[in-house]
Amino acid sequence: MIRSHRSILRRFEDLPLKIKGVIVVAGPLMLIMSALALVFLADRQSTIADNQVRLTLAIQSDIQEIHAHIAEAATGVRGYLLTGNKTWLAPYERAKAALSTVIARMGQQLADPEQKQRLSKVRIMIDQKLASLERLRAVASADALARPELTRLLTESKKDLDVLRAEIDAMVRREAELLALRTNDADQVRTLSRGLLVAAALLGLTGSLAAVALFSKGIVRRVHALEGMAHRLAHGERVGALDPAKDEIGHLEQALQNASTLLKKREHELRQSERNLIAAREAALRASQAKSEFLSRMSHELRTPLNSILGFAQLLELDAKDDVARDNIEQILRAGRHLVTLIGDVLDLARIEAGRMDLTIEPHSVPEILTEAATLARPLAQARQIRIDVSNPSGADLVALADRRRLLQILLNLLSNAVKYNHESGHVVLACRTLDETRVRITVLDSGPGIPAERALGLFLDFDRLGAERSVVEGSGLGLALSRQLAEAMGGSLAHENRREGGSAFHLDLPWGKRHQSKAVGRTEGKHVGLS
């Protein structure tokens, strides 16, 4: 029995949800409708039985009425014979008229063949009885016969009446039997109706309970199980399908199990990747620290002999007598200063990468700094007859938040490039304006050849001179990379674009400041700015 129940439940669970819904809803509904149909049929049978009982009672009443009318007719005729008063004939006339109506009504109501046959006999006997009474009335009216004839007619009439009464009594007994049978049938039908009503209620209740049980075990219980699986999956626990069926819920259970397996696999891979990243980061930090230590030591080791070389070269320059010696000493000084600048740029990049760059962010007048930078760069520009102009279209004293020394370093790098890679007798413009409510833009414009689009991607990369390393123009390829890193360390940005009329434009955007506004002074607080 238990195995059969489980088998039914399993088949139910394998059905699609649409069919399950039809079973759960339509099954009990069909049972209830069937029960209501049975109750309706039983009630109809009960009504038919009650109508039969009422019809039997009506027939009994008609039989009694026939008996009463015959007695009334006979009484009226006898009274007329005794008194000769015609008023006694009125009951006779009424009974005679009523008897035909009652007999016709009974003929329509009778359904029992035996009673129909008796009614035919009674109809004949009533006709005979009425004919006999009619003869008595005629004899009484004529007064022509002797008393013996009257006695004979009365005796015959009495015999007819006795036979009629016997037949009526037989009809009464038969109707009593039919009444008992029909009453019993009606009682049985009512009992059956009540039984069917109770059975219908039990059937509907059983169907509803069965539907609820199927719905609970086949759907609700499994949905709750799915909810539990989802909660466990949300907490990172591994879940397995309880007993996956072939319906949509079973497919969802299997999908959750697959998702759990996939998430566990990805979690394992993620943790492994995280461990690898941590190891790589630690290795990178160690390498960066080693590089910083190496650069720091190397800078010290290089600066000392370079300073000595530059010092002796300057002494030699004072004592040089001929032009060849001065040119040679100038080359030594130029190369030495270039190496010192290169070492300084490398150390600045190392400090930015290590987050050890000391910045003093304060509000500064942008036009003032631009003027100072242009003044410092003009000697280099005059050697190539390049004009440097400062432009402030708005005429306002724009203020930017920056480290003054580093801002000058960025501007001098940009102006140096604008002069070195410009045409002879070229033009450089140093402009400033308000970009929006939060930023100030400084732009360095030159009239040089510009930068090809295919090379612009490597513009801010370390040691990438975009092919200029084969030219006579000196440079290390670190100036723009360092300038961008410094701009970003101060909360700004540095970008490049080619001008339509020729030449390049470098845009330095810095936070807008107020004269009395101050910022925290210190290092970049461990902010690691990676090199591009």
Side-chain angles (χ1 to χ4, degrees):
M1 181 68 182
I2 296 176
R3 185 176 298 176
S4 176
H5 174 72
R6 290 180 178 175
S7 177
I8 293 174
L9 184 60
R10 164 57 75 184
R11 287 198 294 269
F12 178 76
E13 289 179 351
D14 289 339
L15 294 175
L17 289 178
K18 184 186 295 184
I19 298 178
K20 286 180 183 175
V22 172
I23 293 175
V24 169
V25 175
L29 186 61
M30 291 178 62
L31 290 175
I32 292 173
M33 293 299 294
S34 300
L36 290 176
L38 291 175
V39 170
F40 172 76
L41 292 176
D43 183 69
R44 184 177 180 185
Q45 292 299 320
S46 177
T47 303
I48 294 173
D50 290 338
N51 290 335
Q52 290 294 326
V53 171
R54 285 192 290 270
L55 182 60
T56 302
L57 293 174
I59 292 173
Q60 284 184 336
S61 177
D62 289 342
I63 292 173
Q64 296 296 332
E65 188 177 355
I66 289 173
H67 189 276
H69 285 316
I70 291 173
E72 188 178 6
T75 301
V77 172
R78 289 193 185 96
Y80 175 69
L81 289 175
L82 292 174
T83 62
N85 189 355
K86 291 187 177 181
T87 56
W88 284 90
L89 293 176
Y92 165 74
E93 297 294 339
R94 287 197 303 272
K96 184 178 178 181
L99 281 171
S100 60
T101 303
V102 174
I103 290 173
R105 186 171 64 236
M106 281 185 64
Q108 296 175 354
Q109 293 176 344
L110 286 175
D112 185 55
E114 183 178 346
Q115 289 292 79
K116 286 185 176 182
Q117 186 178 2
R118 284 200 178 98
L119 181 62
S120 299
K121 292 180 180 180
V122 167
R123 182 183 290 111
I124 294 172
M125 291 178 181
I126 288 174
D127 291 340
Q128 292 176 352
K129 178 63 178 177
L130 291 177
S132 173
L133 292 176
E134 186 64 29
R135 287 196 298 272
L136 285 174
R137 190 185 70 169
V139 169
S141 298
D143 289 335
L145 297 176
R147 189 172 182 82
E149 182 63 20
L150 183 59
T151 300
R152 184 183 66 80
L153 291 175
L154 285 172
T155 302
E156 290 179 356
S157 177
K158 178 66 172 59
K159 289 179 180 180
D160 293 339
L161 183 59
D162 291 339
V163 174
L164 180 58
R165 284 176 177 173
E167 197 64 33
I168 290 175
D169 289 341
M171 290 186 70
V172 170
R173 287 193 298 273
R174 178 59 181 168
E175 286 300 323
E177 292 175 0
L178 292 175
L179 179 61
L181 290 173
R182 290 170 179 173
T183 302
N184 184 49
D185 291 342
D187 292 339
Q188 290 180 355
V189 169
R190 280 190 290 270
T191 302
L192 178 62
S193 178
R194 287 193 293 269
L196 287 175
L197 182 61
V198 173
L202 292 176
L203 187 62
L205 180 61
T206 302
S208 300
L209 291 176
V212 170
L214 287 174
F215 185 78
S216 176
K217 292 184 178 180
I219 299 178
V220 176
R221 177 181 58 83
R222 297 170 63 208
V223 170
H224 287 167
L226 279 177
E227 183 181 6
M229 292 174 64
H231 282 303
R232 292 196 299 274
L233 187 61
H235 287 85
E237 301 177 12
R238 188 164 187 169
V239 299
L242 300 176
D243 188 14
K246 298 179 181 179
D247 62 344
E248 292 85 344
I249 298 178
H251 296 161
L252 184 56
E253 289 179 0
Q254 189 63 45
L256 283 177
Q257 183 184 16
N258 296 337
S260 173
T261 303
L262 182 60
L263 286 176
K264 280 296 179 181
K265 181 180 178 181
R266 290 185 176 177
E267 182 182 1
H268 175 72
E269 294 175 351
L270 182 61
R271 288 180 179 176
Q272 185 63 36
S273 299
E274 185 178 356
R275 287 192 291 268
N276 294 337
L277 286 175
I278 292 174
R281 181 176 178 273
E282 292 176 352
L285 289 176
R286 289 193 298 270
S288 177
Q289 184 177 2
K291 182 181 70 173
S292 298
E293 293 177 357
F294 171 76
L295 290 175
S296 178
R297 292 175 182 176
M298 286 300 297
S299 66
H300 175 73
E301 297 295 334
L302 291 174
R303 281 178 187 270
T304 301
L306 277 176
N307 289 331
S308 299
I309 292 172
L310 290 173
F312 283 113
Q314 289 172 355
L315 291 175
L316 290 173
E317 186 179 22
L318 295 175
D319 296 334
K321 302 299 183 180
D322 56 86
D323 293 337
V324 175
R326 287 192 185 94
D327 290 340
N328 293 333
I329 293 170
E330 180 64 27
Q331 289 182 8
I332 293 173
L333 290 173
R334 187 165 54 251
R337 293 188 186 104
H338 177 69
L339 286 175
V340 170
T341 303
L342 177 61
I343 292 172
D345 290 345
V346 170
L347 287 177
D348 286 340
L349 285 174
R351 291 191 190 98
I352 293 175
E353 285 184 350
R356 298 176 181 176
M357 175 65 70
D358 292 326
L359 296 175
T360 303
I361 307 298
E362 293 178 339
H364 296 286
S365 172
V366 175
E368 179 182 334
I369 294 179
L370 296 186
T371 301
E372 182 178 354
T375 301
L376 293 174
R378 279 195 178 101
L380 177 65
Q382 288 173 357
R384 301 191 64 197
Q385 299 180 354
I386 294 175
R387 188 175 79 254
I388 298 178
D389 293 329
V390 178
S391 173
N392 183 11
S394 64
D397 186 14
L398 301 179
V399 177
L401 291 174
D403 183 289
R404 182 181 181 87
R405 184 168 68 90
R406 297 300 179 180
L407 178 56
L408 276 173
Q409 182 179 352
I410 294 173
L411 293 176
L412 289 176
N413 278 335
L414 295 177
L415 288 172
S416 175
N417 288 339
V419 170
K420 287 191 297 183
Y421 298 103
N422 209 330
H423 301 294
E424 294 287 339
S425 303
H427 185 208
V428 176
V429 178
L430 200 56
C432 62
R433 64 185 178 88
T434 301
L435 187 62
D436 52 34
E437 295 181 355
T438 60
R439 291 180 296 170
V440 174
R441 169 164 286 186
I442 300 172
T443 303
V444 178
L445 306 171
D446 65 61
S447 58
I451 300 174
E454 63 273 10
R455 290 184 174 271
L457 295 177
L459 188 61
F460 296 99
L461 297 180
D462 300 339
F463 301 105
D464 192 345
R465 297 191 61 196
L466 307 181
E469 58 272 7
R470 292 185 294 272
S471 66
V472 297
V473 179
E474 295 180 353
S476 62
L478 286 177
L480 289 178
L482 178 59
S483 297
R484 169 174 274 189
Q485 302 287 358
L486 289 173
E488 291 176 352
M490 292 188 294
S493 62
L494 180 62
H496 163 267
E497 69 173 344
N498 285 319
R499 303 170 63 193
R500 292 182 179 179
E501 58 272 23
S504 297
F506 286 86
H507 303 294
L508 174 61
D509 297 337
L510 293 172
W512 180 82
K514 296 181 180 179
R515 272 295 182 184
H516 302 291
Q517 183 178 359
S518 62
K519 290 277 282 186
V521 178
R523 291 186 177 183
T524 55
E525 299 181 356
K527 178 181 178 184
H528 179 73
V529 185
L531 295 178
S532 301

